[in-house]
Amino acid sequence: SADMRPGRPGAYRRCSLAERGDLTRQYLPHPRQPRCGATKKRKAEMRVERASAADWTRRQLAKRPAGQCIVIYHSIVRQYFPPAESQAFEDAIVAAGQAATRERPVAWLRAEQTAYSQPFELRLTVWPTGEDRLLAHAHPHGAIVKWLA
C-alpha cells in the first residue's frame, strides 16, 4: 500500500472512488494535480473543455435535469482565481441556487479559507431553501478536522 502521509509522492492523488466505481465526475482540477476522473468504462465520455470556472459552471448548471440534485463541490481552488473570476464563479452558483426548485435542487459544498490565517471551512448551502451550514473547520490537507455539524 502507498505511503499517504503528507509530503510523500502521490499523497494527495485521491481518485479512488472514481477509479473503483462506475462514476463520472467533472471537476476543476488543481493546476499541479494529475488529472484523474472517470473510470475506464466511461473514458470515452471524458471531454476537456477550455473555459473560465464561472462560464463552465454557469453552462453546467443551466442544463441540470429535473428530478436530480446537482452538487457543486470544490476544495481550495478560489484562492487561485483572480478576484473578478472568484466573484463570477460564486455569482453563477448563487444564481442557480436562487432559481432552484424542489424538482431541481442545488447544493454547494466547498472547502475554502475565507480569510488569511483563518481555518479552512467546510460549508454546505442547499437550495431552494437557501440553508447554509458550517460543517467543519479543517487543515487544508485534512490532517485536522473539527466537525461542527
Side-chain angles (χ1 to χ4, degrees):
S1 149
D3 185 348
M4 296 303 283
R5 289 178 294 169
R8 304 286 188 224
Y12 301 110
R13 186 177 184 275
R14 296 196 177 141
C15 304
S16 59
L17 288 177
E19 290 167 350
R20 281 195 320 242
D22 188 25
L23 301 176
T24 301
R25 284 196 301 183
Q26 295 176 322
Y27 66 101
L28 303 166
H30 184 283
R32 293 183 297 254
Q33 180 183 14
R35 267 203 165 299
C36 55
T39 65
K40 290 180 182 178
K41 293 180 203 174
R42 300 274 182 138
K43 194 170 187 175
E45 295 177 26
M46 227 25 201
R47 186 175 71 239
V48 176
E49 297 178 31
R50 184 176 190 92
S52 72
D55 290 343
W56 187 89
T57 301
R58 192 177 298 110
R59 279 198 317 270
Q60 299 307 308
L61 290 169
K63 56 186 178 185
R64 67 187 191 277
Q68 296 179 8
C69 177
I70 190 163
V71 178
I72 301 99
Y73 169 73
H74 56 88
S75 174
I76 312 174
V77 67
R78 290 184 66 187
Q79 66 189 17
Y80 299 105
F81 293 165
E85 179 64 16
S86 181
Q87 188 61 55
F89 177 67
E90 180 175 335
D91 292 348
I93 296 168
V94 170
Q98 291 172 340
T101 64
R102 288 178 50 112
E103 292 77 32
R104 295 177 73 206
V106 174
W108 183 20
L109 180 62
R110 63 234 184 241
E112 297 287 349
Q113 189 175 34
T114 58
Y116 183 75
S117 79
Q118 295 298 311
F120 284 77
E121 293 181 354
L122 179 63
R123 184 171 288 278
L124 175 66
T125 308
V126 293
W127 289 280
T129 64
E131 179 185 358
D132 183 67
R133 294 184 67 185
L134 176 60
L135 302 175
H137 286 130
H139 177 274
H141 299 293
I144 300 167
V145 176
K146 180 180 178 185
W147 289 99
L148 306 169

